[in-house]
Each structure stands twice: as structure tokens, then as C-alpha cells.
Amino acid sequence: MENGKPTGPKPKWWSRPARPEPSSVTDAVATADTPDAVHDAGPGPDTVRHGAQVVAPAAPVDDQAEYPLAAPAPTPAPASVPDPQAQAPEPDTSVAEQPHPQPAGDGWTDPADAVPHGHDGLPAGDRTDGGVRPLHEPDEYRTPPYGGPGPWAPAPPVQRPGGGTPPPYPSGSEYAAPAPAPGPLAAPPAPAPAPVQWSQYDPWSSPGAALTQAGEPPRKKTRRGMAFVGALLFALLAGVLGGGVGAYLERNGGISTVELPQSGAEDSGRAPDSIAGIAASALPSVVTLHVSGSGEQGTGTGFVLDAQGHILTNNHVVDPAGSSGDISVTFSGGETARATLVGKDSGYDLAVVKVTGVSGLRPLPLGNSDNVRVGDPVVAIGAPFDLQNTVTAGIISAKERPITAGGEKGDGSDVSYVDALQTDAPINPGNSGGPLVDSKARVIGINSAIRAADSAPGPDGSAGQSGSIGLGFAIPINQGKRVAEELINTGKATHPVIGVSLDMQYSGDGARVGEKGKDGAASVTAGGPAAKAGVRPGDVITKVDGQRVHSGEELIVKIRAHRPGDRLELTITRNGKEQTKTLTLGSSTGT
């Protein structure tokens, strides 16, 4: 006993079954293990000769194994892979192998090469069951190891590289093909040459299916590389699309149509004292004059004085028309009408024209220039450079600014003397004759002159026109009202005078009475206002009503700022002494 197990010879559990033969064969098998067996170098080293019968020796028995193992299969060629289902080649014998016996009725048979003694010690020839008895009694369900040694679960058919037909099931199995008829043992077939390379095959496919691919198993494509390439392509595409969309948005401001924010509709009304309110109130009364005649033409502005169609403007605006020229008036609404000259005065630079057949005229109210203060806001309306209905705004920069304008004729007949209102509201050529209105849209002056910067000659050599530099001058409306009334009523305007001739070449401070008058006449008119007050030739007038005068022009301006019949107080210097003289202004007819 070894580890509780018998140590004697053990029967093989699974061995090749042998067909029962006559007693001679049984004796031959029984004699195989006896000492009388003679080994001969007959057909091969593994054959045993016994009497006249040669049989293949049994496989050696492993004493340590529970069941005897079959003889090891020959080592396969290095280039091939052994098949676990392949049968080892049979040894080459000179005597044909005995045919296998048919399976017994209970499904198991005795092996042909089993040991001669069973577990009970009886020889095989003396047993009545025909072979070695198994360790357990037969099981009616034939379930190994308690039942018969047959059939084991067959392995799935396997495609072999060399062909498409699966190997047969092991002999002795219930699923094996019937044993061939007994006959002489054939020589074992030569082993098939090892294939050059194994091909992929599916052990679970149907028998006879074609191999998938010859050669080495195909390598699986790595997904990491494909993912990297896909990510790279996606990033490139996203960059191109993003750049295109960004460029489009930058050039077009977005995908949708641009709609800028805007405030809604509001009340169009404005405060009456605002510039917009003043303009809205005064514009319907302002007109544009186009004058032509005697080879000259000009453009200026005027405003309506009354419902009869009288319009006040500057003398130098209508002067190109002469006595037979054409004067056309255009209203703020675009209507036009022909106008006729009522009267003009070059000394005041004022003129009145009249339109007929026009209805709906809106006279512009007149203010009082004596109430104006420096700094008051004013609005100038006119047609600078023939741009009608132009509105500019500014303030009163100064009052009683003595200016002279005209003098183009050379004889002094066209020189005007104005005690003007100075404003910084932009006034340009074409604004002449237009109204200068206060915050209540009342006329306080008539735009008449500007001080322009020196300008370079034009391309044709003529003097170029200059625009406003913030120095504009307007005739006070108080003077304009008086002159306009005289022109409408009589066609002529009167000028206040003191009855003296001035030395215009005097360079000292004040206005000096000349020694001689025009054409050798006396410089002080006999019986005139100055003669009655005691003024003599050579006296220097330095003040009028307490206001300093520095030249003869200033004295004229101060006198013309009054009406004929007004009383004035003059301060004179005679032989270095000051004297005060009072006089009443006389009158002369203007031209």
C-alpha cells in the first residue's frame, strides 16, 4: 500500500479495446508479461515476439497514477503546433493489429493491452467478465467515473490548418463511426508535413468553413492613432470655421441685421425763448432778396415790417438795382414775388421795398435797442452766400460801436455812419439786411457790416471774400425804425445836424471844427445850431452828452444816433480850456 492505495500493478482505465480471438490469442496476450517472453530485434524495438504471434507491447504503467496513461505522442516538428486532439502514430509492427472487439451491451469493453491481473488478483483469462473490472459498479446512467468508461463529452470540431474536415471522434465513443471490418493492421500513415504558418480559424464555426486569412494573425488597428488624427482634423476644421465666422462678424457687425438704438418720437415744440423757439417764430417773417441791374447783382436779406408788404433791408443790398433794376423776394416757404423800391438812404445804409399781391404776411415785431445790455443772447437770421433761412446765435458783444461802411464811390456819398451793436453771432455776406433778434424774437438790430480778416486775392486777381471772425455789427432798431418810417411816409430820411464842417485830417484826440468849409464856405453854418450855441472854427469837440469822442467819424455817429430836434450838450476845448455848449439838433435831407 502507498498512501492507502494498493502498490501492485494497476489496470488501465482507458485503453485500446481488442477483439476477442481464439484461445491462442488469449494465451499470447497472457504470455506477454511472463518471463518466457523473448525480445527480438524484429520489426522494431518495441515489438515482442511470443511463439509464432507478434504483438505490440503494452504501454508502461505508472505506479503513482490513479489510472494508466496512454503512450506519449511523438514530438511534433518545431514549425507546427501540436493538436491536442491528434492521435499519436501507431508503432510500426510486422504483424497486423488485431481488430477491436465490439462494445459490450453495457457500453464498456476490456482493453486489449490491459494488465493480466485485476484488482482481485485473478488472471484475465480466468475472469468471466472478459477484462479488468472497474473500481466501481456499473451505473445505469453511464456517468463516468461511476458508470462505464464510455462516452465522454466530445470536443467541438476543430478546423485544422491542413484541411477543412474535422478529425473523427475517438474510437470507442458512442459518436464514433463503426469500426472497420477486421483485417490486417496497416502501417501507420506518415505524419503530414508541418504547415509553414498557421492561419486564423474559428474552432466554433461549422465544419469545412474556409479559413479567414492565411499568414500571421492580423494586427488590430489601434484606436489611439485614429482618435488623434480625428481630433487634429476636428481642431483644424473648427479653427477654419471659427476664423471665417469671426471675420464675417467683424466685417458685417454680426449675423443678423444691424439695428441701432434710437429714441422714440417726442414733442416737436420748443420753449419760446430757446434758439429753436426763436427761429421758429422769426423765420416766417424773413425773406431773401435777389437784385440785379446796371451790370451788377447781389443777394441779401430783409424782414417784413407790416401787412401792407413793406420790407426793410440795407441800402447796399438794393443799390445794384439802381432806378430800373429787378428786385425779387423769396419767402421762407419758397414763395417768390417781385418787389419795388420805396426809399433808401446811404447815410444810414437802410432801404425799404414793397411786395404786392402776397397774402398771409407775418410782420416781425420790433424791440427797443436802448434796452439791450452787453451779454444778452441774440439770434441772426439771413441767407449767407445765398443759403436762405440760415440761423446763427451769439450775444451782444458791445453797444454804441461807431463804425463807417461803404465809401466805394470815393466821394463819400455812400459812406454810412452807424452807432452799431456789436455781436459775435456769425454774420457773412448775404446776411446784410437780416434781423438780429432778442430772446423774445423781437428785432433789436439790422445786420449791416462785418470786420473780416485780410484775405488773399482770388485766382483771377480779385479780392477774395472773407467770412465771419466773430465781429458783426448791426444798426440799432430804434434808428432803423425812425428811418424806415420816414422812407415809407416820404421816400426820404432826414439826418440830424449841428451845422459845422469838420477837419477829417485832424489826428488829435476829438473832432476839430475846420477853418474852412466845402468849396471855401464857412465851416460854421450861420444861423445853425452850432452857431447859435457859440461854437467857433478851430474848436475841438471832445464829448457829446458826456461821452468821449476821439475823431470826426465818432462825432457824426453820435449825432446821427439822435433825431432832429433833440438837445445835445457838447464839451469843447478852446485855447486849452474846456467849455460846455448846449444846442438843438437841426435836420437835413439824406440821399
Side-chain angles (χ1 to χ4, degrees):
M1 297 290 288
E2 182 178 354
N3 295 331
K5 299 180 181 179
T7 58
K10 298 179 182 179
K12 294 182 180 180
W13 175 254
W14 188 269
S15 61
R16 180 175 295 171
R19 178 184 294 276
E21 295 291 335
S23 60
S24 61
V25 179
T26 305
D27 294 340
V29 175
T31 313
D33 292 333
T34 62
D36 295 337
V38 179
H39 294 274
D40 190 11
D46 295 333
T47 59
V48 179
R49 188 180 301 275
H50 182 70
Q53 185 78 17
V54 179
V55 296
V61 179
D62 186 4
D63 293 341
Q64 300 301 324
E66 182 68 24
Y67 308 105
L69 301 176
T75 305
S80 63
V81 180
D83 188 358
Q85 299 297 334
Q87 296 291 335
E90 296 295 334
D92 188 9
T93 60
S94 59
V95 182
E97 183 180 359
Q98 297 296 328
H100 298 281
Q102 295 294 332
D106 54 3
W108 63 277
T109 60
D110 291 334
D113 55 353
V115 293
H117 295 84
H119 288 283
D120 53 0
L122 295 178
D126 297 342
R127 292 182 59 85
T128 61
D129 54 2
V132 179
R133 189 181 66 180
L135 298 178
H136 303 281
E137 293 300 328
D139 186 5
E140 61 179 347
Y141 298 104
R142 307 300 177 100
T143 304
Y146 303 103
W152 298 92
V158 178
Q159 292 179 345
R160 297 190 182 277
T165 304
Y169 290 96
S171 60
S173 170
E174 292 181 1
Y175 303 98
L185 295 176
V196 179
Q197 239 176 354
W198 285 87
S199 299
Q200 290 185 345
Y201 66 93
D202 185 2
W204 302 103
S205 64
S206 60
L211 298 178
T212 58
Q213 182 180 356
E216 295 182 358
R219 296 180 180 178
K220 294 182 178 180
K221 295 183 179 179
T222 57
R223 295 185 178 180
R224 180 177 302 174
M226 297 178 65
F228 175 76
V229 173
L232 183 61
L233 292 177
F234 177 78
L236 180 61
L237 180 60
V240 172
L241 292 178
V245 172
Y248 176 83
L249 294 178
E250 181 180 0
R251 293 177 181 178
N252 298 277
I255 299 177
S256 60
T257 303
V258 176
E259 185 175 352
L260 301 177
Q262 185 181 20
S263 60
E266 297 179 354
D267 185 11
S268 59
R270 294 292 184 268
D273 58 347
S274 66
I275 296 176
I278 296 170
S281 176
L283 277 172
S285 302
V286 180
V287 299
T288 301
L289 286 80
H290 296 87
V291 181
S292 61
S294 302
E296 298 182 39
Q297 60 183 6
T299 302
T301 309
F303 59 93
V304 179
L305 291 175
D306 52 29
Q308 285 77 26
H310 292 102
I311 296 172
L312 181 63
T313 186
N314 283 134
N315 175 69
H316 70 268
V317 171
V318 298
D319 190 60
S323 59
S324 60
D326 181 67
I327 301 175
S328 175
V329 176
T330 303
F331 294 88
S332 62
E335 301 88 351
T336 60
R338 292 181 58 86
T340 57
L341 180 63
V342 175
K344 62 180 184 178
D345 187 272
S346 60
Y348 290 114
D349 193 21
L350 293 174
V352 174
V353 297
K354 183 179 180 180
V355 294
T356 57
V358 178
S359 61
L361 297 177
R362 294 179 55 180
L364 194 60
L366 305 181
N368 189 335
S369 56
D370 291 341
N371 298 332
V372 175
R373 297 293 180 267
V374 174
D376 286 348
V378 291
V379 173
I381 304 175
F385 301 102
D386 204 16
L387 300 174
Q388 64 180 12
N389 299 331
T390 298
V391 177
T392 58
I395 61 171
I396 294 297
S397 302
K399 291 179 61 177
E400 299 179 354
R401 184 76 71 188
I403 64 169
T404 58
E408 287 82 2
K409 292 182 178 181
D411 56 358
S413 60
D414 59 341
V415 176
S416 60
Y417 301 90
V418 180
D419 195 17
L421 299 173
Q422 181 180 332
T423 179
D424 64 350
I427 297 175
N428 294 284
N431 277 104
S432 296
L436 183 70
V437 299
D438 60 10
S439 59
K440 295 182 179 180
R442 298 175 302 190
V443 181
I444 58 174
I446 300 100
N447 300 320
S448 180
I450 61 173
R451 177 67 183 267
D454 294 337
S455 59
D460 56 353
S462 61
Q465 285 184 315
S466 298
S468 171
I469 59 173
L471 294 174
F473 303 95
I475 300 172
I477 192 60
N478 289 4
Q479 183 177 354
K481 175 181 179 294
R482 180 182 66 82
V483 174
E485 290 174 346
E486 291 181 350
L487 293 176
I488 292 172
N489 293 327
T490 65
K492 292 187 179 294
T494 59
H495 300 169
V497 296
I498 60 175
V500 297
S501 296
L502 300 176
D503 184 3
M504 304 302 293
Q505 305 299 321
Y506 179 69
S507 60
D509 188 25
R512 182 175 180 270
V513 178
E515 296 294 336
K516 293 290 182 178
K518 184 178 180 181
D519 299 332
S523 58
V524 177
T525 303
K532 294 178 180 178
V535 177
R536 299 177 184 177
D539 290 346
V540 178
I541 303 172
T542 57
K543 294 179 181 178
V544 176
D545 288 341
Q547 294 181 348
R548 191 81 182 182
V549 293
H550 302 282
S551 65
E553 289 83 359
E554 290 189 14
L555 178 61
I556 297 173
V557 168
K558 294 298 183 182
I559 293 174
R560 289 192 177 182
H562 294 77
R563 293 172 178 268
D566 291 346
R567 294 178 62 86
L568 294 179
E569 184 179 85
L570 302 178
T571 301
I572 63 174
T573 300
R574 182 184 299 168
N575 299 325
K577 296 180 180 178
E578 281 191 355
Q579 298 180 12
T580 301
K581 305 294 181 180
T582 302
L583 53 81
T584 300
L585 293 176
S587 162
S588 68
T589 303
T591 58

